[in-house]
Amino acid sequence: MSPFLEGSRACSPGDCRNPGESAIPSNSSLKPTSPNAILKRTPKEDLHDLVCVGFGPASLAIAIALHDALVPTLQNNRIGRLPKVCFLESQEQFGWHAGMQLPGAKMQISFLKDLATLRDPRSDFTFLNYLHRHDRLVSFSNLDTFLPSRREFEDYMRWCAGSFADIVEYGQSVTEILANGPRSWEPTVDSFTVVSKDTKTGILQKRRTRHIVIAIGGTPHIPKTFPQQSPRVIHTSGYRYRVPELLKDPSKSYSIAVVGGGQSAAETFHDLHSRYPNSRTTLVLRDTAMRPSDDSPFVNEIFDPSRVDTFYQQQPDFRSHAIASDKATNYGVVRLELLEKIYEEMYHQRISEPDERKWQHRILRSSTVTSVGDSPDSSGSKHTLLRLTTRNLEDSASSHTLDVDAVIVATGYTRNTYESMLRPIENLRNNKVSKDPEAATGWMVQRNYRLDLDPENVRNNVGIWLQGCNENTHGLSDTLLSILATRGGEMVESIFGRLS
């Protein structure tokens, strides 16, 4: 699964460079800096118009759209007053999947699908304006590509985020959302309280608000087969900084396994070959082969913003079938260029050694990990190896045993963390009428991403919106960068359209 949408909770960008890798200079050394700020800090005691939980790309796109709605020269100023807004982010500074910012990694979508262009190309926050401000526009054009490096695109987003420093509270982890009301003088809920904890001090803070957007991204998923707390089991979201901490000597002959068959697994497997050139690596994937992603023009229309409308209007069975049919665009697939590089590496091994079992770098196809535990062969040594047992899905009698120093799991993300935040207000769900069978036990989301709350108990001028966790109702693009610019504008219109 391609993870590159929401902000990683792993580490701050400045702490995640590979040894010897130079970073793109921070904003402090660049002139001019980020676009001028319009939105101003709101005292936490005030009643806010909006509190956003999380400040990854989805929330950043909302902040940009709100900024642009307040710019008179864009001729779309429909907000009557300066709104009171705050973003709460658990990281110490803006970061986007810092654990997978690997050398040479490129974006998988066009730079035109940045945080502003498809909504309004006149915005100051387009990727092209970022290049212009940094005096790299001509040089970038010489690359003759629509796909910038992932490192540069993260720097673009950090540059955008710099304009909103006054309204973002970093180091704040939201724990719960409470309803204010009903009370004796107010029979319906007229606002919410967002409770957050300072990640350094543990001190709780509370902010009252009429509207909430929850955009916290995905939580790394480690299958139950693997020890959940072992330092030798590393999710790809933390690959770039946790692996060097564990395997400190790049020249040593380690044994490393990678589990997964998508873009993150392939990038990790390929990167290990240069990062630890003397180590033995094994890629374990369930499929019969690594498969290329389909980014052909007609298929790419799946991610057009207009497709969200038609997808949302379909019945649940149709939506489930469509997602399953379209998964080759994003799940368990790899860009062809990287596949060809890996195949070439495998081929060169075959020249000198026909027996694959003796290769330094191996791929175990049609395989699944059945058990993980401490290796008995490492008892008494300075460090304990992990023993992985794999089973061949095509031949149940065939299995492999791998003793490894580390296993990297590229097993995707879960996107239901918001449920624990909303647990205190579960009684406000409106599940009376729905075409979704799961609505009786889950939260229903309207087309505009607003939670369907009980109208008898919640006023219509307050609400909660969900971002990046609505794939089942809004389509594959919901967790991706492709529609963020357009969706950010829709969110601003939905929340602030009536603000006066």
Side-chain angles (χ1 to χ4, degrees), residues 96-107:
W96 176 63
H97 290 286
M100 281 297 289
Q101 295 293 339
L102 305 182
K106 288 189 174 184
M107 295 295 295

Side-chain angles (χ1 to χ4, degrees), residues 272-455:
L272 285 168
H273 301 169
S274 57
R275 188 183 295 266
Y276 298 100
N278 298 317
S279 292
R280 300 179 64 87
T281 61
T282 305
L283 176 64
V284 182
L285 65 151
R286 292 181 62 90
D287 206 345
T288 56
M290 286 194 287
R291 302 185 184 276
S293 56
D294 187 345
D295 58 356
S296 55
F298 288 109
V299 170
N300 266 342
E301 288 187 341
I302 294 168
F303 306 112
D304 287 357
S306 60
R307 287 293 186 96
V308 177
D309 288 325
T310 55
F311 187 88
Y312 185 84
Q313 293 166 6
Q314 304 304 319
Q315 294 297 317
D317 288 346
F318 178 91
R319 295 197 302 236
S320 298
H321 175 74
I323 289 176
S325 299
D326 297 337
K327 283 201 170 185
T329 62
N330 187 56
Y331 289 90
V333 290
V334 185
R335 287 193 68 85
L336 182 59
E337 179 184 14
L338 179 56
L339 281 182
E340 291 172 340
K341 288 180 180 178
I342 294 175
Y343 190 87
E344 185 176 1
E345 290 177 348
M346 299 297 105
Y347 177 78
H348 286 309
Q349 292 183 115
R350 190 179 299 277
I351 295 174
S352 56
E353 177 53 71
D355 188 351
E356 291 187 21
R357 293 172 298 180
K358 298 179 181 180
W359 288 2
Q360 181 182 1
H361 309 300
R362 299 184 61 195
I363 298 177
L364 299 183
R365 305 168 184 83
S366 301
S367 297
T368 184
V369 177
T370 57
S371 66
V372 182
D374 292 343
S375 170
D377 294 343
S378 62
S379 59
S381 62
K382 291 183 178 180
H383 65 270
T384 302
L385 300 178
L386 286 178
R387 172 160 290 184
L388 276 65
T389 302
T390 69
R391 176 172 55 85
N392 189 292
L393 299 174
E394 296 176 344
D395 180 6
S396 59
S398 175
S399 64
H400 283 84
T401 299
L402 303 171
D403 288 342
V404 298
D405 295 276
V407 55
I408 318 300
V409 292
T411 46
Y413 296 77
T414 58
R415 298 188 179 274
N416 59 354
T417 307
Y418 68 91
E419 293 177 353
S420 61
M421 297 180 187
L422 296 174
R423 195 163 292 128
I425 59 170
E426 283 183 337
N427 61 306
L428 298 179
R429 286 195 311 231
N430 181 25
N431 294 339
K432 296 177 181 177
V433 180
S434 174
K435 58 183 179 180
D436 290 321
E438 64 269 21
T441 57
W443 292 91
M444 292 167 18
V445 181
Q446 301 171 10
R447 164 59 185 90
N448 65 353
Y449 304 96
R450 185 174 183 168
L451 284 182
D452 201 352
L453 301 178
D454 187 353

